[in-house]
Amino acid sequence: MRREMTGTTASEIRTELLRAGQQLGGAANGVVLNLIIMTDESAQHDAMAAASQAGREHPCRVIGVIARPERPDSRLDAEITVGESAPGQLVVLRIYGELSRHADSVVTPLLVPDTPVVAWWPGSGPAAPAADQLGMLAKRRITDAAASAAPGDALRALAARYQPGDTDLSWTRTTAWRSLLAATLDRQHSEISAAAVSAERGNPSAELMAAWLAGRLDVPVHRDVSGGPGITSVAFSADDGEIAISRLDGRNATLSRPGEPDRYVALHRRETPELLAEELRRLDPDEVYGEALIVLAEEAGDAGGVAAGRR
């Protein structure tokens, strides 16, 4: 069922969601969380599609919020989709004029009660997600520094204002890399004296990977520029030679160790729905991400915000 509502109110939208759920046998009964998406017209289709795919694993009430403060008239429009192969319920809100400055008052009545709230900015997000009016409603807040015009600056701003519950899809993109690196270094090897992460210029996942390695290994970690896509290699300088994992095609990696034949490992680049689904699996603070941000903040000379957020 799909319904468009023009010049409406939050109360009317809530009533329509309840009515639609009853018609389809209680569509909200299986909802395990609320997902608020702060987006714009150009990105809303892809963002809602990604949320819908992730919702097959985590049935959500998805509330997309498009704020249009430049419009002179205060108005609220909504598109509601329930059923039609959509897991949970999808709502797109277009909030115009002065009303857009109070988006939290519009969204709050639409949240499924007693259900966790996650906020996601698929485009350029706020520097302090926990202080954002919609971010304050959420237990988990997902940004994506890679969508920013200056990803490195965006990461350092997030580091300076980190609060438990914050995370970034640039960090999620490193999950498979970190698992493979941890398994590689768990094996007996000689002492490591340095490491290097190679990626295309300005890649925020490489920045986080290097910070994570520096914090865990307590060795210098160099950032090298490659042609991509994404992170292309991570190498360790050890007493008995170099340990390296290289991935030049974005799909398969080669693991090289001194005195051993090369091994080949699947290490594909993941799309947004898969990344989002991973983040929705955990609602507790990602302490390892916070630790990586501490290293980034220290490199930028401002660890105060991260340290305060972790107390």
Side-chain angles (χ1 to χ4, degrees), residues 1-15:
M1 186 209 82
R2 184 181 175 122
R3 169 88 188 273
E4 294 190 6
M5 305 174 70
T6 304
T8 187
T9 65
S11 177
E12 290 175 348
I13 296 169
R14 183 172 181 273
T15 299

Side-chain angles (χ1 to χ4, degrees), residues 125-164:
D132 180 86
Q133 61 169 307
L134 292 177
M136 287 189 287
L137 300 176
K139 185 174 184 178
R140 286 278 283 178
R141 298 165 294 275
I142 306 169
T143 53
D144 190 356
S148 172
D153 292 342
L155 265 187
R156 282 179 277 277
L158 289 169
R161 297 164 179 82
Y162 171 80
Q163 292 293 321

Side-chain angles (χ1 to χ4, degrees), residues 8 23 33 47 49 59 65 79-80 91 98 126 132 140 146 151 180 186 189 210 238 253 267 273:
T8 187
Q23 287 183 344
L33 57 84
V65 179
E79 295 177 12
I80 299 173
V91 183
E98 183 63 26
D132 180 86
R140 286 278 283 178
L180 180 56
D186 273 348
H189 54 75
L267 192 63

Side-chain angles (χ1 to χ4, degrees), residues 13-263:
I13 296 169
R14 183 172 181 273
T15 299
E16 182 61 24
L17 284 168
L18 291 172
R19 187 183 69 80
Q22 290 169 355
Q23 287 183 344
L24 295 175
N29 291 342
V31 168
V32 299
L33 57 84
N34 299 280
L35 176 61
I36 306 171
I37 304 175
M38 279 64 70
T39 184
D40 56 27
E41 290 290 354
S42 62
Q44 69 91 8
H45 180 271
D46 289 344
M48 297 299 284
S52 182
Q53 289 185 52
R56 300 183 191 284
E57 181 178 339
H58 313 276
C60 310
R61 174 171 287 180
V62 181
I63 303 174
V65 179
I66 302 172
R68 303 287 296 274
E70 73 280 1
R71 294 285 291 267
D73 55 325
S74 288
R75 192 177 84 240
L76 173 62
D77 297 342
E79 295 177 12
I80 299 173
T81 304
V82 180
E84 297 187 8
S85 301
Q89 302 172 326
L90 306 181
V91 183
V92 178
L93 304 176
R94 291 179 173 84
I95 310 177
Y96 300 93
E98 183 63 26
L99 184 61
S100 66
R101 306 184 193 282
H102 308 281
D104 55 334
S105 65
V106 176
V107 170
T108 299
L110 305 180
L111 300 174
V112 178
D114 304 318
T115 305
V117 179
V118 178
W120 175 36
W121 292 263
S124 182
D132 180 86
Q133 61 169 307
L134 292 177
M136 287 189 287
L137 300 176
K139 185 174 184 178
R140 286 278 283 178
R141 298 165 294 275
I142 306 169
T143 53
D144 190 356
S148 172
D153 292 342
L155 265 187
R156 282 179 277 277
L158 289 169
R161 297 164 179 82
Y162 171 80
Q163 292 293 321
D166 293 352
T167 194
D168 194 275
L169 291 186
S170 299
W171 175 249
T172 319
R173 293 184 182 98
T174 70
T175 299
W177 273 100
R178 287 183 285 118
S179 297
L180 180 56
L181 290 170
T184 300
L185 296 181
D186 273 348
R187 291 186 54 189
Q188 185 175 357
H189 54 75
S190 59
E191 185 175 352
I192 291 174
S193 57
V197 177
S198 299
E200 53 198 346
R201 188 180 300 277
N203 184 283
S205 294
E207 292 285 325
L208 287 167
M209 176 84 80
W212 174 69
L213 287 171
R216 288 303 170 102
L217 299 177
D218 194 24
V219 299
V221 181
H222 306 286
R223 279 82 150 177
D224 297 330
V225 177
S226 70
I231 298 173
T232 54
S233 72
V234 179
F236 304 97
S237 299
D239 291 345
D240 58 351
E242 183 179 79
I243 303 169
I245 298 173
S246 59
R247 183 191 66 178
L248 303 181
D249 61 1
R251 295 187 298 274
N252 301 296
T254 303
L255 169 60
S256 303
R257 299 178 65 99
E260 298 183 11
D262 289 349
R263 291 176 51 203

